[in-house]
Amino acid sequence: MKRALVCVILLAMPARSVASPQASRQAQGSRLPDDARVRAALDWFSPNISWVNDQQARITEIPAPPFQEAQRAGAVKELFAEAGLPAQIDKTGNVIAELRGVSEKEVVIVAAHLDTVFPAGTDVKVHREGSRMTAPGISDNGSGVAALLALAGAAQFAHLKPQRSILFVGDVGEEGEGNLRGMRALVDAYRSKLKAVVVLDGSGTDHVTTKALASRRLEALITGPGGHSWSDFGMPNPINALVRGSVRFINTKVPATPRTTFNIGQIEGGTSVNSVPHEARLKVDIRSESEDELTRLESALRECIAAGVRDETESARDRSKGKLEWKVELLGSRPGGELAADSALLAALRAADEFVGNQSRIERSSTDANIPLSMGIDAISIGVGGSGGGAHSLQEWYDSAGRETGLKRALLTIFGIAGLAEAKSR
Ligand SMILES: [Zn+2]
């Protein structure tokens, strides 16, 4: 731990101001870009950008709706093998390629999620115009998966041998109801030797996510006997109850600090316009910088739905044909957490930023990094360069101009935290 810190601090500063003999010895080769192999890896990106773009298009055109990532995982496994790193698929569906370190006692996970938010049947054909590509999922997270392959490829090409093993992972279940199941399984499997997690998600180099935004997703369901719109008029109606409860809920006050948000994202129910529905449901996403606020909002939702059912029941003219039932279920929960400002991982990122001439701001967001951060394991989520927009929409785009900056930044960060073996031990 201490040794790693020293290494990373040295990376971030010129090699001269060194005190101890041990640190002095390390300083000789500890500025990563001074190593010929690292330079070879960094130089690999520019001439191979069109290959990286092609992989991104190829991967994006393989549909990967939530819980249906297997086909894309299979393709990524083959691409890892082509890059010279044999991969395996774990029982959760994650594709894992290992770059073995000098010591296998510690591992660094580099992960890009495979899944998209788009349902099966979405047209995922990639349209290309110069350096710009348009398709659902092209940036989130086609760019991350392509970067994962590029990083593995560059490391193999340059014979980079890390101190700690690096696991390059295409993971499942990041979006929506996937509830970070891929990352949960990874952290579970490697927890005892997990040094750090670097998440590659989306485009850009302008940010580093070190703070995990906590969120919960809930579903409210109200059911009743249902009936005919004319002959059964006056019986309690689940949609009415849901609407009454929703109106109460959206009037709930949330603080600006800690920032707290809610969104009714889906509402459905009923079978036809002339039937009293037998069920109604809604899905709500709540997010907050504070776990306490999340808990408060979750209880507010339960109270509001209960009150909506009560209001509807009280105003029903005919209660003889059955009553309403309700429940609120937790569909998913992403815990919060924060990376320490003096962590070795953040120092590695800052050193990489300095080398590529990049400046990035700290962000709070909901990503795969939530899981390790919530467990006190160092983790960040970064973009992989280039630019993009329209995430989660059918107009999503990615422009690869300048993407090598992001790839170099990621490579230096990863080897900054994993450490580089001395040339002779390769
Ligand atoms: Zn993403």
Side-chain angles (χ1 to χ4, degrees), residues 209-213 289 335-341 343 362-364 369-370 372-379:
T209 300
T210 63
K211 301 175 184 191
L213 179 62
E289 291 171 357
E338 236 173 271
L339 180 67
S343 73
I362 299 277
E363 260 192 9
R364 183 186 296 274
N370 278 51
L373 284 174
S374 74
M375 298 165 104
I377 297 165
D378 286 2

Short mmCIF file of all heavy atoms in Angstrom, two decimals, residues 209-213 289 335-341 343 362-364 369-370 372-379:
data_model
loop_
_atom_site.label_atom_id
_atom_site.label_comp_id
_atom_site.label_asym_id
_atom_site.label_seq_id
_atom_site.Cartn_x
_atom_site.Cartn_y
_atom_site.Cartn_z
N THR A 209 -15.24 10.59 -12.26
CA THR A 209 -16.27 10.35 -11.25
C THR A 209 -15.64 9.63 -10.07
O THR A 209 -15.17 8.51 -10.20
CB THR A 209 -17.42 9.51 -11.83
OG1 THR A 209 -17.99 10.23 -12.93
CG2 THR A 209 -18.49 9.23 -10.80
N THR A 210 -15.59 10.34 -8.94
CA THR A 210 -15.02 9.74 -7.72
C THR A 210 -16.07 9.62 -6.63
O THR A 210 -15.81 9.08 -5.57
CB THR A 210 -13.87 10.61 -7.17
OG1 THR A 210 -14.42 11.89 -6.80
CG2 THR A 210 -12.76 10.82 -8.18
N LYS A 211 -17.26 10.19 -6.91
CA LYS A 211 -18.33 10.16 -5.91
C LYS A 211 -19.51 9.39 -6.50
O LYS A 211 -19.95 9.69 -7.61
CB LYS A 211 -18.76 11.57 -5.56
CG LYS A 211 -17.61 12.40 -5.01
CD LYS A 211 -18.03 13.83 -4.78
CE LYS A 211 -16.81 14.64 -4.32
NZ LYS A 211 -17.18 15.96 -3.85
N ALA A 212 -19.96 8.42 -5.76
CA ALA A 212 -21.06 7.58 -6.25
C ALA A 212 -22.39 8.15 -5.80
O ALA A 212 -22.61 8.37 -4.61
CB ALA A 212 -20.88 6.17 -5.72
N LEU A 213 -23.22 8.43 -6.78
CA LEU A 213 -24.55 8.95 -6.47
C LEU A 213 -25.46 7.77 -6.09
O LEU A 213 -25.62 6.83 -6.87
CB LEU A 213 -25.11 9.66 -7.71
CG LEU A 213 -26.50 10.25 -7.59
CD1 LEU A 213 -26.54 11.33 -6.52
CD2 LEU A 213 -26.93 10.83 -8.93
N GLU A 289 -27.65 12.82 -2.90
CA GLU A 289 -26.30 12.84 -2.35
C GLU A 289 -26.32 12.29 -0.92
O GLU A 289 -25.27 12.09 -0.34
CB GLU A 289 -25.76 14.27 -2.36
CG GLU A 289 -25.49 14.79 -3.77
CD GLU A 289 -25.16 16.27 -3.84
OE1 GLU A 289 -25.20 16.95 -2.79
OE2 GLU A 289 -24.90 16.75 -4.95
N PRO A 335 -25.83 1.85 -4.00
CA PRO A 335 -25.32 2.53 -2.81
C PRO A 335 -24.37 3.66 -3.16
O PRO A 335 -23.77 3.66 -4.24
CB PRO A 335 -24.59 1.41 -2.07
CG PRO A 335 -24.20 0.45 -3.13
CD PRO A 335 -25.24 0.52 -4.21
N GLY A 336 -24.23 4.63 -2.26
CA GLY A 336 -23.33 5.74 -2.47
C GLY A 336 -21.94 5.45 -1.91
O GLY A 336 -21.71 4.40 -1.32
N GLY A 337 -21.03 6.40 -2.09
CA GLY A 337 -19.67 6.26 -1.56
C GLY A 337 -18.78 7.29 -2.20
O GLY A 337 -19.20 7.98 -3.13
N GLU A 338 -17.58 7.41 -1.69
CA GLU A 338 -16.68 8.45 -2.20
C GLU A 338 -15.23 7.98 -2.13
O GLU A 338 -14.82 7.34 -1.17
CB GLU A 338 -16.83 9.70 -1.33
CG GLU A 338 -17.19 10.93 -2.12
CD GLU A 338 -17.51 12.14 -1.25
OE1 GLU A 338 -18.68 12.29 -0.88
OE2 GLU A 338 -16.58 12.91 -0.97
N LEU A 339 -14.47 8.33 -3.16
CA LEU A 339 -13.05 8.03 -3.18
C LEU A 339 -12.32 9.11 -2.37
O LEU A 339 -12.60 10.30 -2.53
CB LEU A 339 -12.54 8.05 -4.63
CG LEU A 339 -11.06 7.76 -4.87
CD1 LEU A 339 -10.72 6.32 -4.52
CD2 LEU A 339 -10.69 8.05 -6.32
N ALA A 340 -11.36 8.68 -1.54
CA ALA A 340 -10.60 9.66 -0.74
C ALA A 340 -9.80 10.56 -1.67
O ALA A 340 -9.25 10.10 -2.68
CB ALA A 340 -9.67 8.93 0.22
N ALA A 341 -9.73 11.84 -1.32
CA ALA A 341 -9.02 12.81 -2.17
C ALA A 341 -7.54 12.49 -2.29
O ALA A 341 -6.91 12.84 -3.28
CB ALA A 341 -9.22 14.21 -1.60
N SER A 343 -6.23 9.43 -2.48
CA SER A 343 -6.05 8.03 -2.88
C SER A 343 -5.00 7.91 -4.00
O SER A 343 -4.81 8.82 -4.81
CB SER A 343 -7.37 7.46 -3.38
OG SER A 343 -7.66 8.00 -4.65
N ILE A 362 -13.84 16.76 -10.85
CA ILE A 362 -14.43 15.68 -10.06
C ILE A 362 -15.95 15.69 -10.25
O ILE A 362 -16.57 16.75 -10.24
CB ILE A 362 -14.12 15.92 -8.56
CG1 ILE A 362 -12.61 15.92 -8.32
CG2 ILE A 362 -14.87 14.95 -7.67
CD1 ILE A 362 -11.99 14.58 -8.16
N GLU A 363 -16.53 14.52 -10.44
CA GLU A 363 -17.99 14.44 -10.60
C GLU A 363 -18.61 13.42 -9.68
O GLU A 363 -17.96 12.46 -9.26
CB GLU A 363 -18.33 14.04 -12.04
CG GLU A 363 -18.70 15.22 -12.89
CD GLU A 363 -19.30 14.82 -14.22
OE1 GLU A 363 -19.59 13.63 -14.44
OE2 GLU A 363 -19.48 15.73 -15.04
N ARG A 364 -19.89 13.65 -9.39
CA ARG A 364 -20.68 12.64 -8.68
C ARG A 364 -21.66 12.06 -9.69
O ARG A 364 -22.33 12.79 -10.41
CB ARG A 364 -21.45 13.27 -7.53
CG ARG A 364 -22.23 12.23 -6.71
CD ARG A 364 -23.11 12.90 -5.67
NE ARG A 364 -22.35 13.62 -4.66
CZ ARG A 364 -21.84 13.06 -3.56
NH1 ARG A 364 -22.02 11.78 -3.33
NH2 ARG A 364 -21.18 13.79 -2.69
N ALA A 369 -18.95 2.18 -10.69
CA ALA A 369 -18.02 2.46 -9.58
C ALA A 369 -18.75 2.56 -8.23
O ALA A 369 -18.12 2.49 -7.17
CB ALA A 369 -17.24 3.74 -9.85
N ASN A 370 -20.08 2.71 -8.27
CA ASN A 370 -20.84 2.78 -7.02
C ASN A 370 -20.56 1.57 -6.12
O ASN A 370 -20.45 1.72 -4.90
CB ASN A 370 -22.35 2.79 -7.29
CG ASN A 370 -22.88 4.16 -7.66
OD1 ASN A 370 -22.33 4.81 -8.54
ND2 ASN A 370 -23.93 4.60 -6.99
N PRO A 372 -17.87 -0.78 -5.84
CA PRO A 372 -16.63 -0.76 -5.06
C PRO A 372 -16.57 0.43 -4.10
O PRO A 372 -16.16 0.25 -2.94
CB PRO A 372 -15.52 -0.70 -6.12
CG PRO A 372 -16.19 -0.38 -7.41
CD PRO A 372 -17.59 -0.84 -7.29
N LEU A 373 -16.96 1.62 -4.55
CA LEU A 373 -16.87 2.80 -3.66
C LEU A 373 -17.71 2.60 -2.40
O LEU A 373 -17.29 2.99 -1.31
CB LEU A 373 -17.34 4.06 -4.41
CG LEU A 373 -16.33 4.63 -5.43
CD1 LEU A 373 -16.96 5.79 -6.21
CD2 LEU A 373 -15.05 5.09 -4.75
N SER A 374 -18.87 1.98 -2.53
CA SER A 374 -19.72 1.79 -1.35
C SER A 374 -19.10 0.80 -0.37
O SER A 374 -19.47 0.74 0.79
CB SER A 374 -21.11 1.30 -1.77
OG SER A 374 -21.04 -0.06 -2.16
N MET A 375 -18.12 0.01 -0.86
CA MET A 375 -17.48 -0.98 0.01
C MET A 375 -16.09 -0.53 0.45
O MET A 375 -15.31 -1.32 1.01
CB MET A 375 -17.38 -2.32 -0.73
CG MET A 375 -18.74 -2.87 -1.09
SD MET A 375 -18.61 -4.18 -2.31
CE MET A 375 -18.87 -5.59 -1.26
N GLY A 376 -15.76 0.73 0.16
CA GLY A 376 -14.47 1.26 0.59
C GLY A 376 -13.32 0.85 -0.32
O GLY A 376 -12.16 0.98 0.05
N ILE A 377 -13.64 0.34 -1.52
CA ILE A 377 -12.59 -0.03 -2.48
C ILE A 377 -12.40 1.14 -3.45
O ILE A 377 -13.39 1.69 -3.95
CB ILE A 377 -13.00 -1.30 -3.26
CG1 ILE A 377 -13.13 -2.49 -2.29
CG2 ILE A 377 -11.99 -1.62 -4.38
CD1 ILE A 377 -13.86 -3.69 -2.88
N ASP A 378 -11.15 1.52 -3.71
CA ASP A 378 -10.87 2.65 -4.59
C ASP A 378 -11.44 2.40 -5.99
O ASP A 378 -11.22 1.33 -6.56
CB ASP A 378 -9.36 2.89 -4.70
CG ASP A 378 -8.81 3.52 -3.42
OD1 ASP A 378 -9.59 3.72 -2.47
OD2 ASP A 378 -7.60 3.82 -3.39
N ALA A 379 -12.15 3.39 -6.51
CA ALA A 379 -12.72 3.24 -7.85
C ALA A 379 -12.98 4.60 -8.45
O ALA A 379 -13.26 5.57 -7.73
CB ALA A 379 -14.02 2.44 -7.79
#
